Amino acid sequence: MHELGRILIVEDDPSDVELTLTALEEYNLANEVVVTRDGEEALDYLYCRGKFQTRTGENPAVVLLDLKLPKVNGLEVLQQIKGDEKLGMIPVVVLTSSREEGDMVSSYKLGVNAFVVKPVDFHEFVNAIKELGIFWAVINDPPPGSVKKK
Amino acid sequence: MAWRPGSKSLMAHIPTHSFWRAVAQCLAGSIAVALLTFGCFHFQVTPATVGLLYLIAVVLVSLTGALVPSLLVSIIASQCMNYFFTEPLFSFSMNHPLDFVALVVFPGTALIVTRLISTRRRAMDVLLVQASLLNLTHDTVFVRDTSDVITYWNRGAEERYGWTSEEAVGQVSHHLAQTIFPAPLEAINAELLRTGRWEGELTHTRRDGTKIVVASRWALQRDQSGNPVSVLETNNDISERKRAEEQLRKLNDELEQRVIDRTTELVATNKELEAFTYSVSHDLRAPLRHMAGYTELIQKNAPAVLDEKSRRYMRMIADAAKRMGELIDDLLAFSRIGRAETQKTMVSLDQLVKEALSDVRQDQGGRDIVWRVGELRNVYGDRSMLRLALCNLVANAVKFTRTRPRAEIEIGRADGKADEIVVFIKDNGVGFEMKYVNKLFGVFQRLHRTEEFEGTGIGLATVQRIINRHGGKVWAEGMVDRGATFYFSVPKS
């Protein structure tokens, strides 16, 4: 068994959450997944505040970040993470519904590690999630301070 | 209508009575001298007194009459003096040297006196005429002394301001017209003293209380030792012009404001449109993904409970979702082309065709296609847009030749105007009916059923939009089952 890094999913749409989890489960990647439902909650998680006050302070191995989010949107979350000394090294993958060039350019400018457009076709979607999960949670060595389970 | 000099000269209008006036003066002068002579002779006055009287007569005539009558009267008078009052009487004897002297001295003196007086009078006349000229001008002219007290006020000033010359003279001009200066009066006077002139715009209040704006010119008059004596002020009423300028400025301001408003509106609309397409691209695609995902999951998790028919329905739902996803993508791409700025450079069409072909060849899946690619040229345009247009056209040709065992696709240059390049893409595919040619380039317009040829109906609309944005044209020729040829033109520069 490979080491498995913790995946933080930031996604407001319950169906997307379910389908993403389904895809991850299919490849046994889902046991170290945290789901937050908006940008604020995601930041609360990362900064161990609010309802995540008691969690241990380790960072996820990767953040799968949607862009259209309530309260604090994905780009703002990305900016916050990449601008923070402690969080800046966490790999962030933007997982968005649409290939808006403006979003893509802004994301890369803010230092995103990958930009993935969710395919409409379910097989392709599952594939994309699987490959992302395998790459970021298994193959990739996360920066120091990240959770990686043996 | 322009006024031109007529055939009748101005001189023709001058009355001829000056001649008769001179004759009358001559007669009057002669009669006066005769009466004087007769009187003096009768009352036995001394020659000295007579001489004095003659001199007075000559001076009087000179002051009132013209030069010729004055001269005539002078000569007559002096000869009368000689003849009647210088010894010996009634003769022009030249016995005594004094006689000769008298003969020359009297007329000579008379002549000189007459001449001097009339010359001076003429100069006065000229001055008076010149002075009256100032009254003829429509401009407002007045003169004020160093304490700004008006000393002269022309007719133009009377008309413009409403005060007569009698009323105005003696008043302080700046008080009378309640002058508003564009700069402190001290500064204006300093410039006047330094340069002798000043020009500027003043606001005056007329006698009836109305305000006027005048273009004012001041000129300083100095005496022989250089001390300022008076100021000649000429004022032109420019109130009308000022009003027109003000109106024009207001109109301009309004226009500018309207442009700003419109631009703001347009920017707002554009922003809304962008937000709309952004929302479409995100929010419409998510439910589609879910539809596709869940139908797939049903098929996967409960294959046993689904019969063949239900499985087909599931597939249909998934296909429909996928197709709608493609439609949304194409539509967004199409709208993006309308909004994006074109970034024009010199683009090699040959290179773009190569790229388009390599894109398309990946999908042609072992089909037998004969490519004939001619040499194209460089054009000035947006590379990525032109590439998309060429890709769409080439893909179109590949798609609609699918039913052919051996497809033939030709790309080359056609004849066009001197300043443009015309490219054609010709295929031997299924073609189309020419009566539908206008529908080819419309958004969502399709000439084939989906079962025959898949597609969203946006490809050619995209091509047209791209070419239009380059200032070119797109057109097509075709026949059912005989293939189609698509043309586009792009300006060379």
Side-chain angles (χ1 to χ4, degrees):
Chain A
M1 185 71 201
H2 292 285
E3 295 175 86
L4 187 60
R6 183 179 292 166
I7 299 172
L8 173 64
I9 293 175
V10 193
E11 173 63 70
D12 64 317
D13 191 317
S15 300
D16 265 334
V17 172
E18 193 180 337
L19 291 173
T20 309
L21 289 176
T22 311
L24 289 171
E25 269 163 18
E26 203 162 321
Y27 298 93
N28 295 320
L29 296 162
N31 54 344
E32 268 295 315
V33 174
V34 178
V35 177
T36 51
R37 303 297 303 281
D38 60 53
E40 195 181 85
E41 203 181 310
L43 290 172
D44 281 353
Y45 178 85
L46 292 168
Y47 283 111
C48 302
R49 64 192 184 198
K51 66 177 184 183
F52 299 104
Q53 247 170 2
T54 51
R55 82 168 183 94
T56 52
E58 284 156 314
N59 291 330
V62 65
V63 179
L64 301 184
L65 181 65
D66 188 24
L67 285 184
K68 263 197 111 188
L69 293 168
K71 298 185 197 173
V72 183
N73 73 33
L75 286 177
E76 287 166 334
V77 173
L78 179 65
Q79 187 172 25
Q80 188 80 37
I81 294 174
K82 291 299 177 186
D84 189 286
E85 208 180 317
K86 275 185 180 164
L87 308 177
M89 284 193 293
I90 304 174
V92 179
V93 176
V94 162
L95 204 55
T96 178
S97 287
S98 145
R99 184 181 285 110
E100 279 286 330
E101 207 173 302
D103 282 346
M104 194 190 281
V105 171
S106 310
S107 300
Y108 278 117
K109 273 189 180 157
L110 289 171
V112 81
N113 300 79
F115 189 95
V116 177
V117 179
K118 300 174 198 165
V120 169
D121 184 274
F122 188 62
H123 288 296
E124 291 171 29
F125 179 76
V126 168
N127 249 334
I129 296 294
K130 180 195 84 182
E131 279 175 21
L132 279 174
I134 289 176
F135 180 79
W136 290 106
V138 181
I139 297 174
N140 186 45
D141 263 330
S146 302
V147 188
K148 198 149 192 189
K149 207 174 72 173
K150 292 271 178 191
Chain B
M1 184 181 161
W3 293 95
R4 293 169 200 288
S7 54
K8 220 169 161 187
S9 81
L10 194 62
M11 292 304 285
H13 295 280
I14 294 176
T16 46
H17 66 245
S18 56
F19 171 73
W20 294 110
R21 207 173 72 184
V23 171
Q25 280 175 351
C26 286
L27 274 173
S30 307
I31 290 166
V33 170
L35 284 172
L36 196 62
T37 309
F38 180 75
C40 292
F41 193 59
H42 185 75
F43 292 109
Q44 296 276 316
V45 287
T46 58
T49 316
V50 177
L52 189 67
L53 286 171
Y54 271 134
L55 199 61
I56 291 167
V58 165
V59 168
L60 279 173
V61 173
S62 302
L63 278 175
T64 55
L67 183 63
V68 176
S70 313
L71 282 176
L72 188 73
V73 170
S74 305
I75 291 164
I76 293 170
S78 54
Q79 293 318 313
C80 283
M81 178 78 193
N82 264 359
Y83 189 72
F84 294 113
F85 301 105
T86 314
E87 294 285 344
L89 292 175
F90 316 122
S91 70
F92 286 106
S93 62
M94 292 292 153
N95 300 333
H96 199 272
L98 270 178
D99 294 344
F100 184 73
V101 171
L103 191 67
V104 176
V105 165
F106 277 107
T109 312
L111 266 173
I112 290 163
V113 168
T114 314
R115 183 78 215 183
L116 277 177
I117 289 172
S118 64
T119 305
R120 186 161 172 78
R121 231 203 64 184
R122 276 178 132 196
M124 289 285 286
D125 278 353
V126 167
L127 274 180
L128 277 173
V129 166
Q130 280 174 350
S132 70
L133 273 178
L134 277 180
N135 260 336
L136 289 178
T137 173
H138 295 278
D139 293 343
T140 303
V141 181
F142 65 87
V143 180
R144 50 190 162 82
D145 63 18
T146 45
S147 3
D148 294 327
V149 173
I150 298 166
T151 55
Y152 173 77
W153 187 258
N154 84 336
R155 212 179 62 193
E158 289 182 340
E159 285 166 0
R160 182 69 61 222
Y161 290 102
W163 291 286
T164 62
S165 174
E166 289 75 27
E167 290 166 328
V169 170
Q171 304 263 7
V172 174
S173 64
H174 304 326
H175 295 169
L176 185 71
Q178 299 172 40
T179 314
I180 299 170
F181 301 95
L185 185 56
E186 294 75 38
I188 294 174
N189 279 334
E191 189 186 330
L192 183 69
L193 278 174
R194 202 175 60 246
T195 63
R197 280 159 192 274
W198 180 81
E199 277 183 35
E201 283 177 14
L202 303 175
T203 307
H204 281 150
T205 305
R206 302 199 298 185
R207 187 184 195 159
D208 62 11
T210 51
K211 287 193 187 306
I212 54 171
V213 181
V214 295
S216 192
R217 288 198 178 86
W218 300 4
L220 185 67
Q221 188 185 33
R222 293 176 190 272
D223 62 16
Q224 275 159 345
S225 47
N227 297 316
V229 180
S230 57
V231 179
L232 179 76
E233 183 170 333
T234 314
N235 293 333
N236 277 311
D237 189 354
I238 54 165
S239 307
E240 268 312 309
R241 202 180 78 202
K242 275 283 175 197
R243 256 196 292 281
E245 275 173 13
E246 180 63 21
Q247 210 165 6
L248 199 69
R249 200 183 57 75
K250 244 163 117 182
L251 280 174
N252 265 339
D253 284 357
E254 271 175 37
L255 197 69
E256 221 158 89
Q257 189 54 45
R258 278 224 296 265
V259 169
I260 290 170
D261 290 350
R262 278 291 150 80
T263 313
T264 316
E265 272 172 39
L266 275 178
V267 166
T269 314
N270 232 2
K271 272 231 164 89
E272 271 171 35
L273 198 69
E274 246 158 59
F276 173 74
T277 52
Y278 187 83
S279 175
V280 165
S281 64
H282 278 89
D283 300 346
L284 291 193
R285 285 175 103 249
L288 292 173
R289 225 172 33 243
H290 306 153
M291 281 161 63
Y294 287 116
T295 50
E296 192 66 34
L297 286 174
I298 290 174
Q299 292 183 71
K300 206 169 145 194
N301 295 347
V305 292
L306 293 174
D307 57 5
E308 183 49 42
K309 214 175 196 180
S310 304
R311 272 200 292 277
R312 196 172 70 81
Y313 291 162
M314 289 293 171
R315 269 203 311 281
M316 300 279 272
I317 295 172
D319 284 353
K322 194 175 172 188
R323 187 168 152 68
M324 179 135 184
E326 284 164 5
L327 273 172
I328 291 172
D329 285 349
D330 284 2
L331 202 57
L332 285 174
F334 178 66
S335 93
R336 224 168 272 140
I337 285 160
R339 282 179 294 142
E341 299 269 327
T342 51
Q343 290 169 346
K344 291 187 177 171
T345 50
M346 278 315 283
V347 180
S348 156
L349 285 177
D350 297 298
Q351 180 60 32
L352 288 189
V353 168
K354 259 185 217 158
E355 291 177 23
L357 288 186
S358 80
D359 276 10
V360 172
R361 273 180 182 146
Q362 290 174 359
D363 307 331
Q364 75 188 47
R367 282 180 49 199
D368 185 9
I369 302 178
V370 179
W371 295 95
R372 274 192 287 272
V373 182
E375 200 185 327
L376 302 175
R377 290 251 320 251
N378 293 351
V379 290
Y380 188 67
D382 185 303
R383 191 176 197 282
S384 63
M385 283 195 188
L386 287 176
R387 186 180 190 277
L388 180 61
L390 271 169
C391 275
N392 282 356
L393 288 172
V394 172
N396 228 39
V398 170
K399 184 172 29 171
F400 291 103
T401 50
R402 198 163 55 199
T403 53
R404 298 286 182 264
R406 185 189 168 87
E408 286 170 26
I409 299 171
E410 188 182 351
I411 303 171
R413 258 174 69 197
D415 292 335
K417 287 184 211 147
D419 56 346
E420 63 182 23
I421 286 173
V422 178
V423 177
F424 71 87
I425 291 109
K426 186 179 180 185
D427 65 55
N428 65 338
V430 295
F432 60 88
E433 276 187 77
M434 271 310 268
K435 63 175 171 180
Y436 297 127
V437 71
N438 290 332
K439 293 195 168 180
L440 272 178
F441 299 101
V443 184
F444 288 137
Q445 294 282 358
R446 288 173 47 74
L447 297 184
H448 301 277
R449 285 192 290 269
T450 317
E451 307 96 89
E452 297 174 324
F453 294 102
E454 75 291 343
T456 52
I458 291 178
L460 287 179
T462 305
V463 172
Q464 185 175 46
R465 192 172 261 197
I466 289 172
I467 299 304
N468 282 356
R469 289 207 63 178
H470 282 81
K473 277 197 314 196
V474 192
W475 66 100
E477 289 164 0
M479 262 174 85
V480 174
D481 263 353
R482 294 279 183 84
T485 311
F486 287 86
Y487 299 88
F488 69 85
S489 64
V490 192
K492 278 179 186 167
S493 53

